[in-house]
Amino acid sequence: MNENFKTALVEAGVDVEGSIRRFCGNEGLYEKFLMKFLADDNFDKMEPAFRDNDFDTALIAANTLKGVSANLGINRVYEIASEIVNLIRNEKYEDAKGLYNNFENAYKEIYQIIEHEQR
């Protein structure tokens, strides 16, 4: 993993070192899984689910992204996804919808950093 990529991730709030430890010190494996983050389609399901008040789909997508982002140390995405999951589970649907813009911004920031590295 090159230093510029690592620095960009850290500046975006990613726990790179902790994540590499979770991957048993295998930096290459961690980077491979970061690249797979780009292929996950759960984020694409959230906006239409919220728009259509399909909170079951929104819950599944947010919960999946919560787990993926936790494993990859993508803390901002994890924290907002966790809050969305909790709000939906507590039937606070409008509050969950209200977090979507923050979630989108956090997600897209990481997505763009990883996508840039992949090129």
Side-chain angles (χ1 to χ4, degrees):
M1 178 179 293
N2 79 52
E3 286 304 312
N4 290 335
F5 182 40
K6 204 182 275 192
T7 299
L9 290 169
V10 169
E11 287 175 355
V14 177
D15 179 11
V16 173
E17 294 306 319
S19 299
I20 291 171
R21 281 193 300 278
R22 268 192 302 287
F23 280 78
C24 299
N26 189 332
E27 194 172 287
L29 183 62
Y30 173 59
E31 187 171 9
K32 179 180 175 180
F33 275 86
L34 278 172
M35 296 304 155
K36 287 184 178 204
F37 183 77
L38 299 177
D40 187 296
D41 67 347
N42 282 288
F43 175 76
D44 296 331
K45 295 175 183 176
M46 289 185 65
E47 192 275 330
F50 278 134
R51 184 184 59 237
D52 298 338
N53 294 320
D54 179 359
F55 296 106
D56 290 334
T57 297
L59 176 63
I60 291 167
N63 198 48
T64 301
L65 285 167
K66 174 184 153 187
V68 169
S69 59
N71 286 329
L72 296 174
I74 304 172
N75 295 329
R76 287 185 55 220
V77 172
Y78 167 76
E79 290 164 3
I80 300 169
S82 294
E83 185 64 21
I84 289 171
V85 167
N86 289 334
L87 288 168
I88 293 172
R89 286 184 177 156
N90 288 301
E91 299 179 4
K92 295 181 178 180
Y93 303 124
E94 292 305 312
D95 292 342
K97 285 170 106 174
L99 286 179
Y100 178 76
N101 285 338
N102 290 341
F103 184 75
E104 180 181 35
N105 291 336
Y107 178 88
K108 286 185 174 181
E109 178 183 22
I110 296 302
Y111 189 96
Q112 290 170 354
I113 291 168
I114 297 169
E115 183 180 48
H116 182 266
E117 180 61 22
Q118 190 179 45
R119 288 187 227 156

